[in-house]
Amino acid sequence: MNVRRSAAVLAAAVAVFGSAAAPAAFADDAKPSPSAALPSGLYGKTDPKFDGVFRQSYALLAQDTEGVKPAAKAVDWLTGQQCASGGFAAYRADSTEPCNSKTAVDSNSTAAAVQALAALGGQDKTVKKSVDWLKSVQNKDGGWGYNPGLPSDANSTGIVVGALVAAGRNPADVKSQDGKSAYDALPKLAMDCGKDGGAFGLADMKSGKLAPNADATAAGVLGSLGKGLVVTAPKKSDDAAPKCAKPDTATQAASNGVGYLLDTLGKSDDHLMSSMPGSTDQPDFGNTADSVLALAAAGQKERAERSAEWLAKNSADWAKQSGPAAYSQLIFAAHAAGMDARDFGGADLVKQLNATGPAPETSAKSASDADEKKDDDGGVSVWWIVGVGMVAGIGIGFLYSGNRKKQQP
């Protein structure tokens, strides 16, 4: 919970740099070769190899959230990426070729696609196939890893919970062969109080030891509360700082995670800073947007608004550089905070998002907007991925190597 950035971005970093760290929109910054012809239905102008499905799903879901009906060819492109098994890979250049054992299907791309297609409607068969696939690769502990065969992580499990809810399934009823659900797995991915602050953890690639991580925490909180990427702004605020306690239930793990986010955001003027190894100290826009969703889902209205307002003032350059997934993340954050995505710090996020892909079929939110929207048809990802993000998981460095034999087409 990607764009939250997409885990596809992390996969890109692992493949290229051998490190589980990548900027929020790494994949969207990668320029395609001059000869590469991008599909006309795809959002974004950069190489979709690592985040195509994720950024497309985010874009379609963000448009739907704002009352925009996406172009039919944009929806068709996404559904055409599905493998016969129901799973989605980050991107398939030739969707006419059947998926096989080398097709890197993953839980994050699949879950993002489910959330988008379920919201758009009319895609029941596609959604059901994907949910069935997600169920088939559920780990014994009740959670999900990025790829089939990887240990469960908070990011993957969180976004899959959002997909199950979007598809009308109760995550508590979706159980592994050992009778475990996501609500059993998530508390195991939460850390203790004290020095770890009740955060959800990101696993070290070598030791498997969890370390506190804001992106994993935002995804873990959303998953533990049974929420997806579209969070309704709370009507009343419950801004009391939650008390940290042993995370023996998903509800308590979520409460602890909220406390960690509040404390971390409070140290940096209501936004998060990049915590990636080797990176320069800089604001983390994508994770801040993800945190807004988590805080709003937990009823922290005032704190969610404060972070969203910071984003409204400071995120324009980041979104312009990062593309459709970033615009989508900001739209989700605006929606969760009860702000106007069409006037977000003076920017029309919907128009900017629309401009990154095929003109939508309808773009007016209401009849009163019709005249203005005539100029918006050409105008509007990761984290996620993607919006787009970091994925906890031991052995994720094998995504493109030995672990492929565990992947299912």
Side-chain angles (χ1 to χ4, degrees), residues 159-369:
I159 195 170
V160 170
V161 167
L164 295 175
V165 173
R169 300 289 295 274
N170 182 350
D173 295 334
V174 180
K175 297 183 178 181
S176 69
Q177 56 184 290
D178 286 0
K180 303 291 186 180
S181 76
Y183 297 143
D184 295 305
L186 286 166
K188 304 297 183 183
L189 297 166
M191 307 189 71
D192 292 332
C193 304
K195 68 174 184 178
D196 295 327
F200 282 83
L202 179 72
D204 179 82
M205 290 176 61
K206 293 183 178 180
S207 69
K209 184 178 180 180
L210 294 177
N213 181 268
D215 189 42
T217 301
V221 168
L222 283 176
S224 296
L225 295 176
K227 301 295 184 181
L229 294 167
V230 181
V231 176
T232 301
K235 295 181 179 180
K236 296 181 180 180
S237 187
D238 180 15
D239 291 318
K243 295 182 179 180
C244 196
K246 183 178 180 180
D248 50 4
T249 66
T251 300
Q252 187 60 55
S255 180
N256 294 353
V258 169
Y260 173 83
L261 290 175
L262 291 174
D263 182 62
T264 306
L265 288 164
K267 294 176 180 178
S268 302
D269 189 27
D270 297 315
H271 67 279
L272 298 175
M273 299 297 291
S274 174
S275 58
M276 294 179 294
S279 68
T280 56
D281 196 31
Q282 58 186 338
D284 191 332
F285 300 97
N287 278 344
T288 300
D290 293 342
S291 296
V292 171
L293 306 188
L295 294 178
Q300 294 277 339
K301 186 177 188 301
E302 181 181 344
R303 296 302 297 273
E305 289 175 349
R306 283 163 53 179
S307 290
E309 288 168 356
W310 182 89
L311 285 169
K313 295 177 182 178
N314 297 282
S315 64
D317 290 342
W318 168 75
K320 182 178 180 180
Q321 179 182 10
S322 301
Y327 286 125
S328 300
Q329 277 190 282
L330 294 177
I331 288 173
F332 296 145
H335 183 78
M339 297 173 66
D340 186 357
R342 288 177 166 80
D343 187 11
F344 194 70
D348 186 338
L349 297 175
V350 181
K351 181 178 180 179
Q352 291 172 324
L353 174 59
N354 287 345
T356 67
E361 292 191 14
T362 61
S363 60
K365 190 174 183 179
S366 66
S368 61
D369 294 333

Side-chain angles (χ1 to χ4, degrees), residues 83-88 98-105 133 148 404-409:
C83 293
S85 66
F88 283 78
C99 300
N100 55 40
S101 60
K102 294 183 178 181
T103 305
V105 287
W133 181 83
R404 278 186 171 179
K405 63 183 179 180
K406 296 182 179 179
Q407 297 167 357
Q408 301 179 14

Side-chain angles (χ1 to χ4, degrees), residues 136-154:
S136 75
V137 298
Q138 186 176 20
N139 288 332
K140 291 182 178 180
D141 63 6
W144 283 265
Y146 181 75
N147 286 104
L150 290 181
S152 299
D153 65 76

